Amino acid sequence: MKLTIRISIVLMGVLLIGYLLPGAIVMPVKGARSPDWNKASFWYEPWGSSGVHKGIDIFAKKGTQIVSSTAGFVVYQGKLSKGGKVILVLGAKWRLYYYAHLDSITTESFSFVEKNQVIGSVGNSGNAAGKPAHLHYSMITMLPYVWKMTTQTQGWKKIFFLDPGKHIKQGY
Ligand SMILES: [Zn+2]
């Protein structure tokens, strides 16, 4: 078989496996329960320079451990002006998981993480400075879910931004 065909088959296999892996996520803040975030905070507006709030804020004591909510690959970890100390993980179903305002980061870029592996701790870095410590948590699909588009402010972005609160495994 031609090499290019063989490479294509392997790539398609990897894409398919990435898609078929279970998409269930666990609570990323150790010990947090569903009352620790406001169900109405997803897509809340007005929300500063972002316009709408494209994630949920899970409140916890500063320093509380943050675990990776899925198995995945750390695409980025570092500092951003708004997000402060952030981690971006690519997980199953070609979804990205964004953890922001961390106090500390204990994972490396371009490394694999397991579900429930500690990756950092809750803080108030970036534009959360001066506010109670919390994890800003966003879930972004790289495959656009066009049927999720709404007429809300920036509603077309809902084809990418999913409500993480609706995906966190029951029992939390
Ligand atoms: Zn937030």
Side-chain angles (χ1 to χ4, degrees):
M1 213 187 318
K2 268 192 185 165
L3 185 65
T4 48
I5 296 175
R6 236 185 284 174
I7 291 172
S8 314
I9 289 173
V10 169
L11 259 174
M12 270 158 52
V14 169
L15 278 165
L16 192 67
I17 290 165
Y19 188 75
L20 292 177
L21 282 171
I25 57 178
V26 299
M27 165 54 72
V29 177
K30 266 252 171 95
R33 302 168 54 80
S34 80
D36 295 320
W37 79 86
N38 184 337
K39 306 291 168 296
S41 70
F42 182 69
W43 231 258
Y44 188 85
E45 66 173 323
W47 200 268
S49 57
S50 310
V52 295
H53 188 229
K54 299 180 189 74
I56 57 173
D57 293 335
I58 305 168
F59 291 85
K61 253 177 68 186
K62 191 173 193 163
T64 304
Q65 286 183 325
I66 293 170
V67 298
S68 182
S69 53
T70 62
F73 183 70
V74 181
V75 181
Y76 176 81
Q77 66 90 1
K79 269 187 134 179
L80 299 176
S81 60
K82 275 196 223 174
K85 288 184 185 166
V86 305
I87 303 173
L88 190 63
V89 175
L90 175 63
K93 301 209 182 290
W94 298 95
R95 289 171 185 169
L96 290 162
Y97 298 86
Y98 177 66
Y99 305 81
H101 308 315
L102 274 61
D103 188 50
S104 66
I105 293 174
T106 50
T107 188
E108 298 294 327
S109 294
F110 312 123
S111 65
F112 287 96
V113 287
E114 287 170 38
K115 187 185 278 192
N116 272 320
Q117 183 179 327
V118 176
I119 54 174
S121 64
V122 175
N124 55 358
S125 57
N127 62 4
K131 294 175 188 163
H134 67 273
L135 170 70
H136 173 94
Y137 182 56
S138 288
M139 187 174 174
I140 305 137
T141 170
M142 301 213 295
L143 307 170
Y145 296 170
V146 287
W147 60 92
K148 294 226 173 208
M149 192 182 313
T150 71
T151 52
Q152 292 164 284
T153 308
Q154 299 184 38
W156 69 271
K157 289 187 182 168
K158 282 197 160 177
I159 69 176
F160 297 110
F161 286 90
L162 309 177
D163 182 352
K166 290 190 176 154
H167 289 84
I168 293 174
K169 215 171 71 183
Q170 294 295 307
Y172 283 88

